[in-house]
Amino acid sequence: MPTIERIDGYAEELTAIRRDLHAHPEIGFEEVRTSGIVADKLTQWGIEVHRGLGGTGVVGVLKGKGTGAMKIGLRADMDALPMEENTNLRWRSTIPGRFHGCGHDGHTTMLLGTARYLAETKNFDGTVHFIFQPAEEGLGGARAMIKDGLFQKFPCDEVYGLHNAPDLNHGEIAILPGPAMAGADFFDITIDGYGAHGAMPERSKDAVIIATTLAQALQTVVSRNVPPHHPAVLSITQIHAGSAYNVIPGQAKLCGTVRAFDDGVRALIRERMRAICAGIAAAFQCEINADIRDIFSVLVNQEEQSQIVAAVARTVVDPDKVITRTEPKMGSEDFADMMQAVPGAYFWVGHEGSVPVHNPGYVLDDKILPIGASMFARIIETRMPVGAHA
């Protein structure tokens, strides 16, 4: 069960595109060079190009054969991460503090491969919207495109997205119907106490002690307030306070993330966090401000579109390597916001290597580029076959 032969023929060019994007990473809403390359490629292939949605977003529009009215969106994210790369690759990042450590360069390249193939063959009846999205990594790129009228200007009956998966084996494709990735909140909690000399703690309202007490108390929210059959995570990932050995700081800051699959659970966690902050503020006679922000919606794969992905995957890879019983992931993905507006599915493409995404040593396997491109292309040809509206 092969990938599409014509797309396999693009493999060398796709690899070159992907490695060029990798060497020149751009973080959220700064994808000027990347979106320029995307727009140029689409234009070369005769695809109608629209730029500027959500800042640096790009949408390509391609009509197939026939008069079919169905419209399908295919989405790839373009942004890199604000982190250093620690690999010896010849095409490693050339920009300090910027790294395609999540493989979005691969996703962008896969969708470009799909766009070229469909532009050359047009073996479908309907319209494809190629959605190249900025700022997936927690900055709200999907919401920005939607706010700019993505689905009003480019209506879609269905949308599909994918992600590389180093935790799967090469040639494996996974799709999970139902809630598949967690919704997420990010939080910044600021503690305003009262500073003093390190030798005179009684004159302070010690922001460090308050912060550590609060950090411990917040861990009880999941363990003692959230029902055990509802998965949830509350992680404090940053603590900031102090500047000297002999100064008790008057201010401290806690930052982190909350993940859950149920919006009711997320609301409960926010409520309990604010209540605990208020209680500890009263106990320590200080001020605590909790800024808790809804960043990612719960990603829910619709049953119909999930079945389509599974069926198509069995024509692209070995049917025995199509996994439909994966566990939901506590990670988050802002494609969820697009799928709240339009029914769709999001799937994973396995590849060689075991270093996880968001690790400085992560390496994308270029051999999966034709697989991802073939998946997107076959979804289009399967859902909008030529002759269906004759």
Side-chain angles (χ1 to χ4, degrees):
M1 294 295 174
T3 50
I4 295 172
E5 187 174 352
R6 191 182 193 113
I7 291 177
D8 280 340
Y10 306 156
E12 190 173 328
E13 181 183 349
L14 293 177
T15 298
I17 293 170
R18 206 283 299 181
R19 292 180 179 181
D20 175 67
L21 295 176
H22 188 89
H24 302 91
E26 297 170 305
I27 60 172
F29 296 123
E30 297 179 7
E31 306 94 341
V32 176
R33 181 183 186 274
T34 303
S35 62
I37 289 170
V38 167
D40 287 348
K41 294 290 184 185
L42 297 179
T43 300
Q44 288 173 29
W45 300 326
I47 296 170
E48 179 185 318
V49 174
H50 301 262
R51 302 187 65 174
L53 265 82
T56 45
V58 179
V59 178
V61 180
L62 180 67
K63 296 184 185 298
K65 301 173 182 176
T67 59
M70 191 172 187
K71 299 176 175 65
I72 293 179
L74 303 175
R75 174 270 200 176
D77 37 15
M78 300 187 292
D79 57 323
L81 286 158
M83 62 182 288
E84 294 291 339
E85 178 174 359
N86 183 21
T87 72
N88 296 318
L89 300 172
R90 284 184 290 107
W91 52 90
R92 73 186 305 280
S93 172
T94 59
I95 303 172
R98 302 287 185 266
F99 172 37
H100 267 297
C102 201
H104 296 182
D105 50 344
H107 306 162
T108 296
T109 305
M110 290 173 192
L111 188 52
L112 284 174
T114 302
R116 177 181 172 184
Y117 168 81
L118 292 176
E120 290 177 353
T121 60
K122 291 192 176 178
N123 188 31
F124 64 97
D125 184 1
T127 303
V128 184
H129 292 140
F130 303 101
I131 302 168
F132 292 87
Q133 180 209 304
E136 188 279 330
E137 296 287 357
L139 296 176
R143 293 179 184 180
M145 291 191 82
I146 293 168
K147 185 178 179 181
D148 275 358
L150 173 64
F151 293 125
Q152 285 74 43
K153 297 173 182 174
F154 310 99
C156 295
D157 298 298
E158 300 175 345
V159 288
Y160 295 87
L162 60 73
H163 205 290
N164 70 89
D167 56 326
L168 299 175
N169 297 314
H170 179 80
E172 291 182 339
I173 293 175
I175 176 71
L176 173 65
M181 298 187 76
D185 298 280
F186 289 177
F187 61 83
D188 293 276
I189 299 174
T190 304
I191 299 161
D192 285 308
Y194 191 77
H197 195 293
M200 304 171 190
E202 75 282 4
R203 298 184 182 183
S204 74
K205 294 176 182 176
D206 190 336
V208 169
I209 296 298
I210 299 167
T212 55
T213 303
L214 177 57
Q216 293 280 15
L218 289 174
Q219 294 307 309
T220 67
V221 175
V222 171
S223 67
R224 290 298 177 267
N225 298 124
V226 176
H229 54 276
H230 284 290
V233 171
L234 191 162
S235 293
I236 294 167
T237 56
Q238 300 177 52
I239 299 179
H240 304 282
S243 60
Y245 288 101
N246 57 352
V247 176
I248 293 173
Q251 187 178 80
K253 191 173 183 180
L254 303 176
C255 310
T257 183
V258 174
R259 313 277 170 150
F261 288 96
D262 182 282
D263 286 335
V265 169
R266 293 173 69 193
L268 168 67
I269 292 173
R270 291 185 205 114
E271 178 187 338
R272 289 298 302 141
M273 288 177 69
R274 292 190 176 106
I276 288 171
C277 286
I280 288 181
F284 284 92
Q285 298 179 314
C286 67
E287 292 187 10
I288 300 179
N289 177 66
D291 177 19
I292 309 170
R293 305 178 302 285
D294 170 22
I295 302 295
F296 295 103
S297 302
V298 179
L299 186 144
V300 181
N301 280 326
Q302 297 301 314
E303 186 71 36
E304 180 183 356
Q305 285 75 30
S306 297
Q307 290 178 2
I308 291 157
V309 168
V312 166
R314 293 185 185 102
T315 73
V316 174
V317 300
D318 183 338
D320 291 337
K321 292 187 175 182
V322 179
I323 303 165
T324 57
R325 294 182 178 272
T326 57
E327 292 183 356
K329 296 179 183 289
M330 291 307 296
S332 301
E333 162 63 64
D334 81 351
F335 186 56
D337 291 299
M338 293 191 185
M339 293 206 299
Q340 285 199 341
V342 177
Y346 184 82
F347 56 95
W348 290 268
V349 180
H351 66 79
E352 291 178 356
S354 59
V355 178
V357 296
H358 291 225
N359 181 289
Y362 165 77
V363 177
L364 181 84
D365 175 11
D366 286 315
K367 292 192 296 295
I368 69 167
L369 298 175
I371 296 176
S374 295
M375 280 294 300
F376 274 152
R378 283 240 169 94
I379 287 170
I380 295 301
E381 293 177 341
T382 301
R383 292 301 279 163
M384 301 190 290
V386 172
H389 301 89

